[in-house]
Amino acid sequence: MHEYNPIEHTKSRLKSPESIMNKLMRKGGATSLADVRATVKDIAGIRITCSFLSDIYRIVDMLRNQNDLKFVSVKDYLKQPKPNGYKSLHLLVEVPVFMSDRQELVAVEVQIRTIAMDFWASLEHKIFYKYNGSVPERLLAELKEAADTASELDEKMERLRKEVDEIKLTASADEEREMRLLIDRQSFAVPEPLLRLVEEKS
């Protein structure tokens, strides 16, 4: 785990007071701080971007091993993408925040996605913002096609990654098997057929 870092980069954000109020209004308002905490679960958010599909679940396992994090919910849009093609894995976790006189659990939304997923989601968001949410059907169809292309790219890169890992394992095994002779301070590799012959004789 220490030799390989699955995280490419991270991005954090805090909802603005205006955004929090808009969400409260959409959900019927709130009369107390407890209502706000119960209604708005994504005041804080972290987006983690990684290289490969398998890295996403690897990061989830890493977070589960954190004793100070409490998992509240998991939304897996990798296994069940949204109709528009959106893919990501969303976690809602509670993180302890230490005050001067007490400890509070604060809800944090964690989004984990690949570089390809993040690229698509970023452009899709900009297009929706430009059209104020009313995107023409033709563009919606092309966005869905682009999401499918990004998904195919992720799958292809995952296959390539596995092939590279297999090649590394084979090369490592070959290096461990290689026997060398030292003659007059010079090192010579023992040919594989000769090594097998010696093993058979022994």
Side-chain angles (χ1 to χ4, degrees):
M1 182 63 71
H2 297 292
E3 295 178 358
Y4 173 71
N5 183 2
I7 299 174
E8 284 288 332
H9 57 264
T10 62
K11 185 177 181 180
S12 61
R13 62 113 179 103
L14 288 174
K15 271 189 179 300
S16 66
E18 180 183 4
S19 179
I20 293 172
M21 290 303 299
N22 288 337
K23 186 163 188 176
L24 289 173
M25 293 300 293
R26 290 197 305 269
K27 291 183 175 291
T31 58
S32 67
L33 182 59
D35 287 342
V36 174
R37 293 184 62 182
T39 304
V40 185
K41 293 289 188 179
D42 58 346
I43 292 178
I46 298 175
R47 182 176 301 144
I48 301 174
T49 306
C50 50
S51 301
F52 303 99
L53 286 169
S54 57
D55 288 338
I56 294 177
Y57 295 105
R58 183 193 296 234
I59 292 170
V60 173
D61 290 339
M62 291 168 65
L63 293 175
R64 284 192 186 278
N65 289 331
Q66 292 288 119
N67 295 328
D68 55 346
L69 292 183
K70 178 183 176 183
F71 273 61
V72 178
S73 65
V74 178
K75 293 181 180 178
D76 193 337
Y77 296 115
L78 304 180
K79 295 178 179 177
Q80 293 183 322
K82 291 186 177 181
N84 65 348
Y86 175 85
K87 284 188 172 185
S88 184
L89 195 145
H90 292 196
L91 306 174
L92 186 63
V93 300
E94 289 184 337
V95 180
V97 175
F98 296 92
M99 311 293 187
S100 60
D101 58 344
R102 68 191 187 281
Q103 173 184 313
E104 293 280 353
L105 289 176
V106 177
V108 178
E109 183 188 48
V110 182
Q111 298 179 357
I112 312 173
R113 59 179 66 153
T114 64
I115 296 171
M117 294 174 194
D118 191 58
F119 172 73
W120 180 89
S122 176
L123 294 185
E124 190 259 3
H125 179 75
K126 289 179 180 178
I127 290 172
F128 264 75
Y129 182 80
K130 182 177 181 180
Y131 283 93
N132 198 25
S134 301
V135 181
E137 288 295 326
R138 178 183 61 82
L139 287 183
L140 289 175
E142 290 194 25
L143 280 170
K144 177 61 170 64
E145 184 179 338
D148 293 340
T149 301
S151 181
E152 291 173 4
L153 176 61
D154 273 332
E155 291 172 2
K156 180 177 290 187
M157 295 308 293
E158 184 69 27
R159 287 196 301 271
L160 289 174
R161 184 251 187 102
K162 289 179 179 177
E163 285 187 28
V164 170
D165 287 344
E166 289 174 2
I167 291 172
K168 285 182 177 180
L169 286 173
T170 302
S172 178
D174 289 344
E175 287 179 2
E176 290 180 2
R177 181 178 174 79
E178 184 182 72
M179 181 178 291
R180 304 186 70 86
L181 291 176
L182 187 63
I183 302 175
D184 292 335
R185 297 183 180 180
Q186 290 186 326
S187 179
F188 300 91
V190 178
E192 181 67 20
L194 179 58
L195 186 58
R196 286 201 300 268
L197 181 62
V198 172
E199 291 176 347
E200 291 174 0
K201 294 294 185 181
S202 60

